[in-house]
Amino acid sequence: MPERRSARPHVHKFGGASLADGAGLARAAAILSRQPAPRVVVASAMAGVTDALLAGAREAAAGNPDALRRVAQTLRQRHLDAAAHALRRAAERRTAVAAIEQAFAELDTLAHALSILRELTPRSSDHIVARGERLSARLVAATLACVSVPVEFVDATEVVRTNGAFGNAVPDLAATDRAVRARLAPLLARGVTPVVPGFLGRAPDGATATLGRGGSDLTATILARALRAVEVTLWKDVPGFLTADPRIVPEARVLPRLDRREAAELAYYGAKVLHPRALIPLAGRAVPIRLRAFNDPEAPGTEVSQRRPLPGYPVQAISSVTRQTMITVAGNGMLGVPGVAARTFGALHQEGISVSLISQASSEHSICFTVPEETADRARAALESAFGEEIRRGEIDGVETLPGLATIAVVGLGMSGTPGISAQIFTALARGGVNVVAIAQGSSELNVSFVVDAEQAAAAVRRIHGTFQLDRIGGGGVEAPATTDVVLLGFGQIGRELTRMLPRARSRSAELRIVAVIDRAGHVFDPKGLSPRRLTALAAAKAAGRDLARAPGGQATPGALHSLSDIARHALTRPILVDLTADDTTLTLRRALESGMHLVLANKRPLAGPRAAMLALQTLADSRGLRILHETTVGAGLPVIDTYYKLVESGDRVLSIEGCTSGTLGFVLSEIGRGRLFSEALTRAMSHGYTEPDPRDDLSGLDVARKALILGRLLGFPGELSDVAIESLVPPAARRLTREEFIGQLTRFDADWQRRAAVARAAGQVLRYVSRATARRVEVGISAVPASSPFAALEGTDNQLIFVTRRYKNNPLIVTGPGAGPAVTAAGVLNDLQRLASLESREI
Ligand code: ADP
Ligand code: ASP
Ligand code: MG
């Protein structure tokens, strides 16, 4: 590429994660040589070097010089290895090796000195860590020289002037502008690429001062400002500025464009990808910053500039900072004390402590704000001394600190003009069980920030990310979401039927999307949704007896609770857990609610188990604003529970619900009524798949009792399953037999059944297995009902429920229809899912 002298340069900064080793150096050189000239390069220390040097220096000052010596040995070897890998020319290699040896030999001497002095001042700390950037920049320069790019290493102290606040120095921009132009412009004019160590500057006395952690980004923008660069490119180990920290939200998406104010806010509140002060030097200048992927240099990355934000994306991204302490200055007498706020922040300013969030005070009785944990003690001392007089007089109670917190910021320029954002954020947090300690004053219109327990910070970020669908292009808005994520617990016949129905189901609101299926051995999960084809393949494998854990993409876990916990760690969109098992799933259901999932139950056991457990589940759901729908627990797809609630909501009172709710028993008894033998009737039921594997599970009446208990509990029945009177149809003589023995001896019981049917017929009655539920009593058993009863007309596996209410007393309300089978049950579950999906979209 022809070099255009005296043109405005491009500034390229390579982050530490990119320059991790020799291969990183070589890649940096390859990337750079393809970039338009003129170019300026800024280099960070190789990954982990700054941390290691700092830790070693602290150890040495604590009296352990060998720790720093060991660090020096390791780092020396890493740099030598990188040089050996990246530097093809012997001359370059020799110079680099000499610089490396010198840097670490000096460290050896320093280790000794520190351990004697027992003190690590910010100034000596800066002196020590600076070698990380210096060596790295030398290696980058040498690597470029090896591929014939004309380069010159220029030390940062030659060009970046600072105020000398060691550890967190502030650049003197005007002085720096002059120094940069004087030193770099002539190089650029000659077609030479200057390579400058990042993070460093010169204190007024000539010493080296660092610009604060992550300061190489700032070096890049300082140089860009002075040289009126075309653009600053920050080469990162991530593909750009993401909607959230990818270590917290793996599905975070690259933002194509971000306004400078948004980027500054996110960086300030913990988005480590950009130094919080990096944007300051470019204020008022039209120099865009581009964050690009070191591992994918062709990808566009993120442009941070003053271009208008893309419309329709009110919420752009979320960031979080942990290790925060909240400080409260409170007291009844504060109203009368002049200038409390000004004095509070004045005292902190004096101490050089920056306050990250000031919370809304409900009254003027307190001021709350957060500071980084390590400055909390100093902050408290400063405030106690500033308000010493008022504290003595009792006007101010004192200064309280609450450690272990995190500050989270939800950022986007369009937020102020879009109603409902805060409501949505705080609803999402409530659903996730995240306790909000404080909410920030709405000082800036592009940010909603709040404080939570540090332990809940990741969960909070994921929730909000999911709520605004930031993982999708077009996310970030408050319009109804495109999808509702469904997790299936149990993948038997009903689950498989449901996966067949879902793609064809017409949705009034959000599209229902199955993201995970769980069985006893593990799960298959894809946060982007399992395609119908994949579900069909899984269903076929499952029907053939293969566990999900062994399916492609399957994950083995010790149980459903583990599977659910794994899945719930992701940012799902309005998730719903569907329990299609017949197991005791209470713990898993609790975890689902705690993770913000609504529940759809086809499983009766959680509602027919211990009453206390059932109530606890309901209370948990209520506290999170979540719903538990369970239409299919009684009467499969028939609208039973729905009818109950419709009656109650219309002001009616349901007095009793009677029913024939067992398709199996209904079938067997109506066959017997027609004169068929018991053994024949049961064999037919089994061959149609109407029974449990052991038909005695149906005949025992336990399943009907569970349904009756669920209905009874709706009506206020306070008892347990053991309080339900159950008449079993398994003859005492058959109870001890094995399944095979029982099935082999069915004809033994024919005579007895024939007699019972004949007696009933003679009295103009038929036999039915009936359940009765009121607020006081729940019972299930065989009943001879008059031929005129609606129960008598039931055919096959049909179910029937009779509601006697205050309004429907003489002429009860009857619901009849097919009450068993995978297809009708799956349809009922689908109905519940659709109700939840449309409920969610109405809430917005
Ligand atoms: P550099 O190597 O340039 O110094 P950093 O390591 O300082 O880069 O910053 C990159 C890291 O920032 C990423 O690896 C990522 O873990 C973290 N990070 C935090 N928030 C974000 C975000 N919103 N977008 C991208 N990366 C982020
Ligand atoms: N190496 C320094 C740090 O780790 C500066 C930087 O990487 O930007 O903080
Ligand atoms: Mg950084």
Side-chain angles (χ1 to χ4, degrees):
M1 186 171 302
E3 308 239 331
R4 285 177 44 225
R5 314 279 151 95
S6 81
R8 291 166 61 201
H10 289 255
V11 176
H12 294 271
K13 177 237 155 174
F14 292 95
S18 310
L19 303 175
D21 51 18
L25 288 170
R27 178 173 264 272
I31 290 176
L32 203 78
S33 52
R34 289 198 297 270
Q35 305 301 322
R39 301 161 295 220
V40 175
V41 176
V42 173
S44 287
M46 291 167 74
V49 169
T50 309
D51 283 334
L53 288 173
L54 280 175
R58 273 192 218 110
E59 281 284 313
N64 179 9
D66 288 341
L68 184 54
R69 291 198 179 106
R70 275 196 301 277
V71 167
Q73 271 316 310
T74 318
L75 294 184
R76 171 182 167 272
Q77 197 53 52
R78 253 186 83 189
H79 284 83
L80 289 174
D81 290 349
H85 180 286
L87 306 182
R88 304 274 151 75
R89 290 193 189 156
E92 296 295 341
R93 208 160 48 228
R94 264 196 308 277
T95 324
V97 167
I100 295 167
E101 296 293 7
Q102 194 199 335
F104 292 110
E106 195 209 8
L107 210 50
D108 207 74
T109 325
L110 283 170
H112 181 64
L114 283 175
S115 71
I116 290 173
L117 292 173
R118 292 288 177 115
E119 192 193 18
L120 180 66
T121 60
R123 182 193 189 95
S124 41
S125 174
D126 279 1
H127 177 75
I128 288 171
V129 294
R131 70 206 61 230
E133 262 69 14
R134 287 199 169 115
L135 285 178
S136 164
R138 282 197 187 278
L139 288 173
V140 170
T143 313
L144 283 166
C146 290
V147 291
S148 303
V149 175
V151 285
E152 185 167 327
F153 171 87
V154 176
D155 194 68
T157 46
E158 293 183 57
V159 286
V160 179
R161 303 273 187 266
T162 77
N163 67 351
F166 293 101
N168 205 12
V170 178
D172 173 341
L173 292 177
T176 303
D177 283 349
R178 288 191 295 274
V180 170
R181 284 182 208 134
R183 179 72 173 92
L184 302 190
L187 296 180
L188 294 171
R190 279 193 282 126
V192 173
T193 297
V195 182
V196 182
F199 182 45
L200 313 176
R202 180 183 188 277
D205 66 359
T208 303
T210 62
L211 305 175
R213 295 305 307 268
S216 300
D217 296 336
L218 178 56
T219 306
T221 55
I222 291 173
L223 301 185
R225 166 198 164 97
L227 297 168
R228 299 193 176 83
V230 179
E231 189 173 76
V232 180
T233 305
L234 306 178
W235 294 95
K236 296 279 172 182
D237 61 332
V238 278
F241 213 123
L242 306 179
T243 48
D245 187 337
R247 289 165 300 185
I248 300 177
V249 184
E251 48 292 310
R253 182 177 52 86
V254 182
L255 290 156
R257 211 197 283 169
L258 206 54
D259 184 88
R260 274 201 198 159
R261 283 169 291 170
E262 294 171 325
E265 204 83 2
L266 288 162
Y268 181 72
Y269 282 106
K272 191 201 166 208
V273 70
L274 189 65
H275 183 280
R277 287 189 277 124
L279 291 158
I280 295 173
L282 297 179
R285 324 224 157 175
V287 181
I289 301 180
R290 200 171 269 287
L291 281 77
R292 292 175 69 180
F294 187 65
N295 287 321
D296 185 9
E298 301 309 318
T302 303
E303 182 190 296
V304 178
S305 67
Q306 284 163 310
R307 277 165 66 181
R308 274 161 51 83
L310 299 172
Y313 301 87
V315 176
Q316 291 278 20
I318 311 163
S319 59
S320 60
V321 224
T322 51
R323 301 178 55 82
Q324 300 283 301
T325 292
M326 186 146 92
I327 299 189
T328 309
V329 182
N332 274 334
M334 266 171 65
L335 266 177
V337 182
V340 175
R343 284 167 62 198
T344 302
F345 299 117
L348 296 172
H349 180 71
Q350 287 253 305
E351 272 293 309
I353 296 171
S354 79
V355 173
S356 44
L357 176 145
I358 304 170
S359 162
Q360 203 150 25
S362 52
S363 66
E364 280 188 40
H365 291 166
S366 69
I367 297 179
C368 270
F369 51 88
T370 54
V371 298
E373 221 154 79
E374 64 275 11
T375 63
D377 285 342
R378 274 197 298 132
R380 181 214 281 254
L383 293 169
E384 278 171 352
S385 112
F387 292 110
E389 205 41 44
E390 285 83 356
I391 294 173
R392 256 190 305 284
R393 287 203 297 266
E395 290 164 357
I396 287 178
D397 297 342
V399 182
E400 270 177 45
T401 55
L402 180 62
L405 302 175
T407 303
I408 296 180
V410 183
V411 173
L413 263 179
M415 281 173 38
S416 63
T418 317
I421 302 253
S422 296
Q424 224 177 318
I425 293 173
F426 295 110
T427 307
L429 293 175
R431 290 226 171 121
V434 177
N435 180 33
V436 178
V437 179
I439 300 174
Q441 210 144 25
S443 55
S444 101
E445 80 282 22
L446 53 84
N447 162 343
V448 172
S449 42
F450 53 92
V451 180
V452 300
D453 236 23
E455 282 178 3
Q456 292 194 303
V461 170
R462 279 187 216 113
R463 285 269 138 228
I464 297 170
H465 200 268
T467 295
F468 290 102
Q469 304 209 347
L470 294 181
D471 59 330
R472 300 204 188 123
I473 294 182
V478 286
E479 63 274 13
T483 57
T484 297
D485 290 339
V486 178
V487 176
L488 296 188
L489 178 60
F491 200 43
Q493 279 196 54
I494 303 172
R496 301 200 288 270
E497 189 65 46
L498 188 63
T499 60
R500 270 193 290 277
M501 280 179 188
L502 259 183
R504 273 173 278 138
R506 194 145 350 121
S507 164
R508 280 158 291 163
S509 49
E511 180 202 342
L512 291 161
R513 189 178 68 157
I514 297 177
V515 292
V517 285
I518 305 175
D519 69 10
R520 289 206 179 93
H523 62 265
V524 176
F525 171 52
D526 184 343
K528 297 191 174 60
L530 299 167
S531 67
R533 180 186 296 180
R534 185 132 177 238
L535 285 165
T536 309
L538 289 173
K542 196 62 190 156
R546 198 143 8 101
D547 288 336
L548 291 172
R550 284 185 293 148
Q555 176 78 41
T557 63
L561 181 59
H562 287 82
S563 286
L564 185 79
S565 305
D566 280 1
I567 293 163
R569 272 202 283 280
H570 293 75
L572 300 179
T573 311
R574 293 142 208 284
I576 305 175
L577 179 80
V578 184
D579 183 353
L580 301 171
T581 69
D583 303 336
D584 179 4
T585 49
T586 309
L587 285 181
T588 310
L589 300 182
R590 285 193 69 88
R591 178 65 52 85
L593 290 170
E594 283 159 4
S595 317
M597 299 184 183
H598 293 289
L599 300 182
V600 170
L601 309 182
N603 182 4
K604 293 177 264 300
R605 285 181 67 163
L607 301 179
R611 187 172 129 89
M614 178 207 79
L615 290 177
L617 210 57
Q618 192 59 58
T619 310
L620 179 59
D622 291 345
S623 72
R624 302 280 158 91
L626 296 165
R627 303 283 299 268
I628 304 178
L629 297 189
H630 60 99
E631 186 57 271
T632 54
T633 52
V634 183
L638 293 182
V640 177
I641 311 296
D642 190 43
T643 302
Y644 168 80
Y645 280 111
K646 287 220 167 94
L647 289 168
V648 172
E649 279 158 19
S650 69
D652 201 350
R653 206 168 120 218
V654 181
L655 305 172
S656 73
I657 307 174
E658 272 191 58
C660 284
T661 57
S662 165
T664 318
L665 295 181
F667 177 83
V668 171
L669 291 175
S670 62
E671 290 289 288
I672 292 175
R674 286 212 195 96
R676 214 179 283 282
L677 294 175
F678 167 76
S679 55
E680 279 175 20
L682 192 60
T683 311
R684 287 188 67 162
M686 289 193 299
S687 70
H688 281 87
Y690 294 158
T691 62
E692 296 294 314
D694 185 338
R696 285 173 298 181
D697 290 343
D698 297 296
L699 295 172
S700 73
L702 187 61
D703 191 53
V704 178
R706 287 206 173 103
K707 293 178 190 171
L709 181 61
I710 291 172
L711 295 174
R713 284 178 168 171
L714 285 179
L715 305 185
F717 177 69
E720 302 289 343
L721 191 58
S722 54
D723 300 316
V724 176
I726 309 177
E727 184 185 353
S728 171
L729 299 191
V730 184
R735 287 182 194 161
R736 292 233 175 74
L737 304 176
T738 65
R739 173 183 180 270
E740 282 63 37
E741 285 166 348
F742 173 63
I743 291 169
Q745 300 177 17
L746 287 181
T747 49
R748 257 179 70 188
F749 312 108
D750 285 345
D752 189 36
W753 279 107
Q754 262 183 314
R755 194 174 34 74
R756 290 174 84 167
V759 171
R761 205 175 303 121
Q765 295 171 328
V766 294
L767 296 176
R768 290 291 180 259
Y769 198 84
V770 176
S771 74
R772 280 190 198 85
T774 67
R776 256 171 288 125
R777 188 170 164 77
V778 178
E779 58 189 355
V780 302
I782 195 138
S783 230
V785 300
S788 60
S789 148
F791 287 155
L794 282 182
E795 285 289 337
T797 61
D798 280 2
N799 278 197
Q800 183 164 78
L801 288 116
I802 303 182
F803 292 79
V804 176
T805 76
R806 258 206 239 129
R807 279 185 211 139
Y808 296 90
K809 200 158 192 178
N810 300 327
N811 198 4
L813 182 74
I814 299 179
V815 177
T816 309
V824 285
T825 309
V829 167
L830 184 56
N831 238 311
D832 276 352
L833 285 171
Q834 284 175 326
R835 276 182 56 191
L836 285 177
S838 61
L839 181 96
E840 279 279 1
S841 49
R842 273 206 306 276
E843 263 175 19
I844 293 171

